[in-house]
Amino acid sequence: MKIIFRIVMILAAAMMIGGALYAMVDRGSSSSPQTPAFENGDRPEGFPSSGEFAVGVRPERDEPGSALFFPAGVLKSLLIISIVSVIYLTLGKWIGKFRRQAASR
Amino acid sequence: MSKQNKIKLFLDISTFAAFLVAMDPRTSGIAVHEWLTIALAGAVIVHLLLNWNWIVEITSRLFTKGTNGSKLNYVLNWLLFIDGVLIMLSGIMISESVIPALGIILPVNFSLRSLHELSTNLSLALMGLHVALHWNWIVNTVKRLFMRGEVKSRPTAAFGQKDAQA
């Protein structure tokens, strides 16, 4: 019962955030003074000029031959996460060192 | 090492691995990308349930006492949660596999696609900070798991933070 209550709380928080974000995006796009190019009938670069996209294919993602770079996206994400972590940890160490030096004075 | 810590570690590692795979839809394909992300939402709920006591504790003393590090960690976790909701929401709105499979057809929205990519990129930076804040916990738990001996506990995160768990 306690776990169900907690799950409901998490989902309620997610729904409130989702609703607020959706309202913000919806209001932002409807109050925009300039009509986006694609709403004028101009398709963004890289999108087919007629017809629907094939099911399961996004033109900006599924370029032919992209499977050759198998782990490239995974490695790129891992690299970005690692860089951010290393920067934070190094900064944290420096600040800690600085604080200790200042306290010992 | 407690059973709950083992579960937490394995869940976090597998969630992180799934997150990395989900971040690369070119490799996995759109269907795997979408279904995996929905499974990830379930894993995040379990992650939050396992760390519920920490969340309640920090929330209750957010405006009274506590280190700046734990407050930063708390705010960062909320940002990660909000960003996750944004990714899921925009992802559902531009879904090409999961939502059509349910018989729902949503109109193509290019601004939501941009929002999805933007929030996904932001999640990488937030995830990097999340991992950094819990780095000492990760290292200590892995050491305890594989060394089976006593490992001296160090402060669990940068900036002298001692109560980073979630």
Side-chain angles (χ1 to χ4, degrees):
Chain A
M1 195 66 195
K2 212 161 71 177
I3 290 173
I4 293 169
F5 174 70
R6 287 172 182 178
I7 292 171
V8 169
M9 274 186 76
I10 293 166
L11 292 177
M15 278 176 74
M16 280 197 291
I17 292 164
L21 290 170
Y22 185 73
M24 273 165 61
V25 170
D26 202 39
R27 198 171 54 181
S29 62
S30 62
S31 65
S32 176
Q34 288 179 330
T35 312
F38 59 84
E39 283 183 17
N40 285 331
D42 305 330
R43 282 180 179 268
E45 204 178 314
F47 286 83
S49 57
S50 62
E52 295 293 318
F53 303 131
V55 175
V57 176
R58 283 186 186 164
E60 81 277 30
R61 294 193 187 280
D62 295 312
E63 298 97 349
S66 61
L68 285 173
F69 305 100
F70 165 62
V74 174
L75 289 176
K76 196 178 93 181
S77 303
L78 192 62
L79 189 71
I80 294 169
I81 291 171
S82 306
I83 288 169
V84 172
S85 298
V86 166
I87 289 172
Y88 179 85
L89 288 171
T90 311
L91 211 68
K93 268 186 188 172
W94 279 352
I95 290 172
K97 209 173 170 182
F98 215 67
R99 276 181 183 167
R100 276 194 297 276
Q101 278 178 353
S104 64
R105 274 178 206 159
Chain B
M1 185 178 164
S2 71
K3 196 180 172 185
Q4 199 186 26
N5 265 351
K6 271 185 196 172
I7 294 169
K8 271 186 192 177
L9 185 70
F10 284 120
L11 177 81
D12 291 356
I13 289 171
S14 38
T15 307
F16 185 71
F19 172 78
L20 289 177
V21 174
M23 289 295 288
D24 189 16
R26 281 186 213 196
T27 303
S28 59
I30 291 299
V32 172
H33 168 76
E34 290 184 11
W35 286 108
L36 188 65
T37 318
I38 285 175
L40 263 174
V44 169
I45 290 175
V46 177
H47 176 82
L48 292 174
L49 288 173
L50 286 170
N51 293 289
W52 192 261
N53 291 337
W54 180 87
I55 297 168
V56 172
E57 193 189 321
I58 298 293
T59 308
S60 63
R61 60 187 171 96
L62 188 64
F63 298 105
T64 53
K65 53 183 182 179
T67 60
N68 287 335
S70 65
K71 285 176 184 171
L72 174 75
N73 192 9
Y74 186 78
V75 172
L76 184 79
N77 285 337
W78 265 109
L79 287 176
L80 201 55
F81 185 71
I82 292 168
D83 193 50
V85 172
L86 191 57
I87 293 170
M88 284 298 291
L89 187 76
S90 55
I92 287 168
M93 297 301 284
I94 61 167
S95 169
E96 290 170 11
S97 177
V98 174
I99 298 298
L102 298 173
I104 304 164
I105 306 294
L106 295 168
V108 178
N109 191 324
F110 294 107
S111 55
L112 278 171
R113 189 160 291 180
S114 309
L115 190 68
H116 187 66
E117 287 182 7
L118 191 74
S119 52
T120 306
N121 292 338
L122 180 66
S123 76
L124 281 177
L126 291 172
M127 186 57 79
L129 289 173
H130 190 70
V131 169
L133 275 165
H134 300 87
W135 185 246
N136 286 331
W137 180 84
I138 297 166
V139 171
N140 285 335
T141 313
V142 170
K143 273 183 185 171
R144 277 195 212 114
L145 183 69
F146 291 107
M147 290 181 178
R148 289 172 186 265
E150 285 293 311
V151 176
K152 281 185 180 178
S153 68
R154 292 164 54 197
T156 48
F159 299 118
Q161 181 189 339
K162 289 180 180 172
D163 45 3
Q165 282 175 20

